[in-house]
Amino acid sequence: MKVLIATDKPFAKIAVDGIRQEIEAAGFELALLEKYTEKQQLLDAVVDANAIIIRSDIIDAEVIAAAKALKIVVRAGAGYDNVDLEAATKAGICVMNTPGQNANAVAELVFGLLVFAVRNQYNGTSGTELMGKKLGIHAYGNVGRNVARIAKGFGMDLYAYDAFCPAEVIEKDGVKALSSVEELYSTCDIVSLHIPATAETKKSINAALLAKLPKGAVLVNTARKEVIDEAQMVEFMNERTDFRYVTDILPSNHAEMVEKFEARYFSTPKKMGAQTSEANINAGIAAAKQIADFLKTGNEKYRVN
Ligand code: 3PG
């Protein structure tokens, strides 16, 4: 059996070594395709792969059609909006993610971005502190929970809204559960996005919702760019000169955002949230173990399609 790691943004070497150990101990062979620049390289690499480990790499119908021997794709991470689940299901391919494995890394970056934003991008002028501010956690999954844990250390007041997580679960962590997304945005000084990109959430962060934020608010996005209505974000930032936006996912209109709002907008050039050795090891090895278990015993825990 051949397991392919196909990562445009490579794992740390120590994680690749750990994955190799897991895969070889299970009696399988490991192949590696990193930093590919053309889709054709991916199409060629998947031809004889029985299993693939990916990150944000796009597994669309064309890749699935080329992967004639493929049984399983594991997205080493949380979001699987980069995989065509329908095409995978039709081809009889199991798709999994590795929930929680990179959550702390992403949550730590939220605070890296926030301190940078409220200290005026370290430009030497007087900024503000996080202590005592109201932090709104938009979706209380694995990353949201880690954000709550870290925010307590900063002395922030915590609020969350999650359409699927019961209020008792949120409140058990000392976080106030709000009953609507509008209430979260009108209550909080800072909102941290942790919603997945789905048909329902795409472009859901629009001008009407952002307008509810109090003066001086900050939005931090370590989730997906697709959840933002980018045209409305520009309109909103034109009007609300007090508002700041920091993101770990380069917007499609990054050049325009820099040109218009340089002092109130920042994006990392490449998604860095999960880019730590620890997260690479956790997610990569979990993916390798899930693949070995699936191929040997048929265990489908973490299947998402
Ligand atoms: C995820 O969904 O797990 C994060 O967005 C991290 O994505 P990455 O593995 O491409 O860095």
Side-chain angles (χ1 to χ4, degrees), residues 54-56 75-83 97 102 196-197 224 271:
I54 52 157
R55 296 184 64 178
S56 290
R75 192 283 190 240
Y80 44 86
D81 48 307
N82 49 321
V83 181
N97 64 351
N102 59 20
R224 289 291 180 272
K271 191 163 51 142

